[in-house]
């Protein structure tokens, strides 16, 4: 939607999902049709930039807050300014409607929160308590409480009826930029400049969860089949197990000597498998955290791992251009599947455990017989690396994601391309089917997670919240939740129904760097190669062995490296 001549500061959907409202530094509020993308109306009246906009629950009115220190109410039908609410002595940074559409709340740089009557425009109450700018305000769904977040590092809960301060939630180490209530009004979530997301109990005011643990980017995440646990793999070389209910770090699995690229649960939820840049596949006990087996055989980075449905076999894909099948019980190598002409980035089993699918740097998707190891089909159509592959639950369809920015659906029986899903503005890093087979989820370098209809190929939702590229996505077994892992070092849980971000564990770690001598590297056509692992040359000056940087692209990862003499 193009039309603003200045930065867009705030956007919101109408409750009937038909209209989007946007507020901009160009001093205007704009209404847009969701169906056509057409600009419906431009609401002019503010004398400074618009910082916050919101719809009334009945979709009839829009409220806007501005740097001109006013709050304005607008008719959605006519675009007319119904009322201008004057009272703040500094910029109005956040506005929201009450659930009954009768009251508006505003937060300001004057350190106050104000409640206004929508009918009369009268100032009902001024809530005083913050010592710095109020950045965000929201009503509880029951209409009884207002929450505010401030640059003073606190979150405050206020009574709408009396205006009294109920609770001050202390725990952030920097300004709070965003606050929201859970639908049941029992929990508040806050986001802060301290890089954390916190969950708070409204009843007690206590901090429920701050999930911290990894000291490096999270490359891969997955739910356990029983929905009780999340596993994450990281550039900090560890695999971590988290309680979904409590957010607690259950175990840290240590043993890899380089970054972890891929993680998965066994069907019985008892075992985790991980693949790493150290060329190994490891099996771990979920109960004890003990390393059960290390599967050694690849001569290149292990980019992807997966369990068979019966839990008896593990498949691994590697930069050595091979796919390998391993016995979970003995750790023995069963078969090596040879056919790709470049590194294998992603592998998956069909639900009936009879077929393996692999995606490669060679831009192809291949289907293999688990029983014989023979190559069944080669699916061609992508114009760049295939980064991620997965089977539908009925084993009839394969989905693939590629750096060509597309997601493709293929018939397993015929090998024909069924649909190409376009919408990402950068390469696709990860794809997965929902257990009910109705939806595909994709993650991308464009920092978004997208949900697609398998039947129509239409884009259902775009989940925005990550501040860096998304490495890995997965569905919960009940198809209600998506989990995503990102280069921003967070794992996010999303509601499939609403598209809302439910929870964000946060890990605050330093950049990871590796050191390589020039003798370990060779150059070819602008690329630096170490075995079959590619490094894209950004600023290479090998002649003088001067310090230079490169980006290591392997599996679903981008790693910053430094090359030294």
């Amino acid at each position: 939607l193009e039309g603003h001549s200045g930065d867009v500061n705030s956007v919101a959907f109408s409750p009937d999902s038909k209209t989007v409202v946007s507020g901009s530094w160009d001093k205007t509020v704009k209404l847009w049709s969701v169906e056509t993308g057409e600009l419906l109306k431009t609401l002019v009246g503010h004398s400074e930039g618009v910082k916050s906009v919101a719809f009334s629950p009945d979709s009839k009115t829009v409220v806007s807050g501005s740097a001109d220190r006013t709050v304005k109410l607008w008719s959605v039908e006519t675009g007319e300014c119904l009322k201008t609410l004057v009272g703040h002595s500094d910029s109005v940074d956040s506005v929201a409607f009450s659930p009954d559409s009768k009251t508006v709340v505003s937060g300001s740089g004057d350190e106050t929160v104000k409640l206004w009557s929508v009918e009369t425009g009268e100032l009902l109450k001024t809530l005083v308590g913050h010592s710095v700018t109020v950045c965000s305000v929201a009503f509880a769904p029951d209409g009884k409480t207002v929450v505010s977040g401030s640059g003073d590092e606190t979150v405050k809960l206020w009574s709408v009826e009396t205006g009294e301060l109920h609770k001050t939630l202390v725990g952030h180490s920097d300004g709070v930029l965003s606050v929201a209530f859970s639908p049941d009004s029992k929990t508040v979530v806050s986001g802060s400049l301290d890089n954390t997301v916190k969950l708070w109990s409204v009843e007690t005011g206590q901090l429920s969860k701050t999930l911290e643990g990894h000291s490096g980017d999270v490359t891969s995440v997955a739910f356990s089949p029983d929905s009780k646990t999340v596993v994450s793999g990281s550039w900090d070389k560890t695999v971590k197990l988290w309680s979904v209910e409590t957010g607690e770090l259950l175990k840290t699995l240590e043993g890899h000597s380089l970054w972890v690229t891929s993680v998965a649960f066994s069907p019985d939820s008892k075992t985790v498998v991980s693949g790493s840049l150290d060329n190994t596949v490891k099996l771990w006990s979920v109960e004890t955290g003990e390393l059960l087996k290390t599967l050694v055989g690849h001569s290149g980075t292990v980019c992807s791992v997966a369990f068979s449905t019966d839990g008896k076999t593990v498949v691994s894909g590697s930069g050595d251009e091979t796919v390998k099948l391993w016995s979970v019980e003995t750790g023995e190598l069963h078969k090596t599947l040879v056919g790709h002409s470049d590194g294998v980035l992603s592998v998956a089993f069909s639900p009936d455990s009879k077929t393996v699918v692999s995606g490669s740097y060679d831009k192809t998707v291949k289907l293999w017989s688990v029983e014989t190891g023979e190559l069944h089909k080669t699916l061609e159509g992508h114009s760049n690396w295939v980064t991620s592959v997965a089977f539908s639950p009925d084993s009839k369809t394969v989905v693939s994601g590629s750096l060509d920015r597309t997601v493709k659906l293929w018939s397993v029986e015929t090998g024909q391309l069924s649909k190409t899903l376009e919408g990402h503005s950068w390469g696709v890093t990860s794809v997965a089917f929902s257990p009910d087979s109705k939806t595909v989820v994709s993650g991308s370098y464009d920092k978004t997670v997208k949900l697609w209809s398998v039947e129509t190929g239409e884009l259902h939702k775009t989940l925005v919240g990550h501040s860096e590229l998304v490495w890995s996505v997965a569905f919960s077994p009940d198809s209600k939740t998506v989990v995503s892992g990102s280069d921003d070092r967070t794992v996010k849980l999303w509601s499939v129904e609403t598209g809302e971000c439910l929870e964000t564990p946060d890990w605050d770690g330093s950049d990871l760097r590796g050191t390589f001598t020039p003798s370990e590297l060779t150059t070819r056509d602008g690329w630096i190669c170490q075995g079959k692992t590619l490094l894209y040359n950004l600023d290479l000056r090998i002649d003088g062995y001067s310090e230079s940087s490169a980006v290591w692209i392997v599996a679903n990862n981008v790693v910053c490296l430094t090359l030294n003499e």
Side-chain angles (χ1 to χ4, degrees):
L1 311 181
E2 297 177 318
H4 282 296
S5 59
D7 296 346
V8 178
N9 294 319
S10 181
V11 291
F13 271 98
S14 61
D16 60 14
S17 299
K18 295 180 180 179
T19 311
V20 161
V21 62
S22 58
S24 167
W25 277 120
D26 66 10
K27 308 176 187 177
T28 70
V29 176
K30 292 182 183 288
L31 298 173
W32 312 81
S33 165
V34 172
E35 184 177 359
T36 67
E38 179 188 359
L39 176 61
L40 302 177
K41 291 182 180 72
T42 298
L43 314 181
V44 180
H46 283 296
S47 60
E48 296 290 345
V50 179
K51 303 190 76 173
S52 181
V53 290
F55 270 98
S56 61
D58 59 13
S59 299
K60 295 180 179 179
T61 309
V62 161
V63 61
S64 59
S66 168
D68 67 10
R69 307 178 186 181
T70 69
V71 176
K72 290 184 182 288
L73 298 172
W74 311 82
S75 165
V76 172
E77 184 179 359
T78 67
E80 179 188 0
C81 182
L82 303 175
K83 291 183 180 69
T84 298
L85 314 180
V86 179
H88 282 297
S89 60
D90 205 334
S91 171
V92 179
D93 291 354
S94 183
V95 289
F97 271 97
S98 62
D100 61 9
S101 301
K102 294 181 179 179
T103 308
V104 160
V105 61
S106 58
S108 168
D110 64 12
E111 305 172 6
T112 70
V113 177
K114 293 183 183 290
L115 297 173
W116 312 82
S117 166
V118 171
E119 184 179 0
T120 67
E122 179 188 1
L123 176 61
L124 303 176
K125 292 182 181 72
T126 297
L127 315 180
V128 180
H130 284 296
S131 59
V132 181
T133 297
V134 179
C135 303
S136 182
V137 291
F139 270 96
D142 60 16
K144 295 179 180 179
T145 309
V146 160
V147 61
S148 58
S150 167
D152 64 12
E153 305 177 5
T154 69
V155 176
K156 292 183 183 289
L157 299 173
W158 312 82
S159 165
V160 172
E161 184 178 0
T162 66
E164 289 182 7
L165 176 61
H166 275 331
K167 292 182 181 72
T168 297
L169 314 181
V170 179
H172 283 296
S173 59
D174 210 332
V176 179
L177 297 181
S178 183
V179 290
F181 272 96
S182 61
D184 60 10
S185 299
K186 294 181 179 179
T187 306
V188 159
V189 62
S190 58
S192 166
L193 288 172
D194 65 11
N195 300 336
T196 70
V197 175
K198 294 183 184 291
L199 298 174
W200 312 82
S201 165
V202 172
E203 183 179 1
T204 66
Q206 289 186 328
L207 177 62
S208 302
K209 298 184 185 77
T210 298
L211 309 185
E212 299 175 320
H214 279 300
S215 60
D217 298 348
V218 179
T219 57
S220 184
V221 291
F223 271 98
S224 63
D226 60 14
S227 297
K228 294 181 179 179
T229 311
V230 162
V231 61
S232 58
S234 169
W235 288 351
D236 65 10
K237 309 176 189 177
T238 70
V239 176
K240 291 183 184 290
L241 299 173
W242 309 84
S243 165
V244 172
E245 183 180 0
T246 66
E248 180 187 0
L249 175 60
L250 302 175
K251 291 183 180 70
T252 298
L253 314 180
E254 295 178 304
H256 283 296
S257 60
L258 284 175
W259 301 290
V260 178
T261 58
S262 182
V263 291
F265 270 97
S266 62
D268 61 9
S269 299
K270 294 181 179 179
T271 308
V272 159
V273 62
S274 58
S276 166
L277 294 187
D278 64 12
N279 300 349
T280 70
V281 177
K282 292 184 183 290
L283 298 173
W284 311 83
S285 165
V286 172
E287 184 179 1
T288 66
E290 180 186 0
L291 176 61
L292 302 177
K293 292 182 181 71
T294 298
L295 314 181
V296 180
H298 282 296
S299 59
T301 296
V302 179
C303 302
S304 182
V305 289
F307 271 98
S308 61
T309 307
D310 58 16
K312 295 180 179 179
T313 309
V314 161
V315 61
S316 57
S318 169
D320 64 12
E321 304 178 5
T322 70
V323 176
K324 292 182 184 290
L325 298 173
W326 311 81
S327 165
V328 172
E329 185 179 358
T330 67
E332 287 182 13
L333 176 62
H334 278 280
K335 292 183 180 74
T336 298
L337 314 181
V338 179
H340 281 294
S341 60
D342 212 330
V344 179
L345 293 174
S346 182
V347 290
F349 271 100
S350 61
D352 58 14
S353 298
K354 294 180 179 179
T355 309
V356 160
V357 62
S358 58
S360 167
Y361 283 122
D362 66 13
K363 307 176 188 177
T364 70
V365 177
K366 291 183 184 292
L367 298 172
W368 311 82
S369 165
V370 172
E371 184 179 359
T372 67
E374 288 182 11
L375 175 62
H376 277 332
K377 292 183 180 72
T378 297
L379 314 181
E380 295 180 307
H382 282 296
S383 59
N384 209 325
W385 299 346
V386 179
T387 56
S388 184
V389 290
F391 271 97
S392 62
D394 60 8
S395 300
K396 294 181 179 179
T397 307
V398 160
V399 62
S400 58
S402 167
L403 290 191
D404 66 11
R405 306 180 184 181
T406 70
V407 176
K408 293 183 183 291
L409 298 174
W410 311 82
S411 165
V412 172
E413 184 180 0
T414 67
Q416 287 187 326
L417 176 62
S418 303
K419 292 183 182 72
T420 297
L421 314 181
E422 296 179 308
H424 282 294
S425 60
W426 210 343
V428 178
T429 57
S430 182
V431 291
F433 269 97
S434 62
D436 60 14
S437 298
K438 296 180 179 179
T439 309
V440 161
V441 61
S442 58
S444 167
Y445 284 86
D446 66 13
K447 308 176 187 178
T448 70
V449 176
K450 291 182 184 289
L451 299 173
W452 311 82
S453 166
V454 172
E455 183 179 0
T456 67
E458 289 182 9
L459 176 61
H460 275 333
K461 290 184 181 73
T462 297
L463 314 180
V464 179
H466 283 297
S467 60
E468 296 293 343
L469 52 96
V470 178
W471 289 136
S472 182
V473 291
F475 272 96
S476 61
D478 60 10
S479 299
K480 294 181 179 179
T481 307
V482 161
V483 61
S484 58
S486 166
D487 195 42
D488 64 13
R489 299 172 187 170
T490 70
V491 176
K492 290 183 184 291
L493 299 175
W494 310 84
S495 165
V496 172
E497 182 179 0
T498 67
E500 288 183 61
C501 184
L502 305 175
E503 188 172 330
T504 304
D506 182 272
W507 299 286
D508 184 15
S510 58
D511 290 341
L512 292 173
R513 297 186 179 272
T515 300
F516 296 86
T517 63
S519 61
E520 294 175 290
L521 305 169
T522 59
T523 61
R524 184 191 70 192
D525 299 330
W527 295 84
I528 312 168
C529 306
Q530 187 186 18
K532 289 295 181 181
T533 302
L534 299 179
L535 301 114
Y536 180 72
N537 182 9
L538 291 183
D539 183 24
L540 184 64
R541 300 181 293 274
I542 277 196
D543 287 342
Y545 300 146
S546 58
E547 185 174 296
S548 52
S549 62
V551 176
W552 185 340
I553 304 177
V554 58
N556 299 333
N557 309 308
V558 176
V559 183
C560 291
L561 300 178
T562 298
L563 306 178
N564 297 311
E565 183 175 358

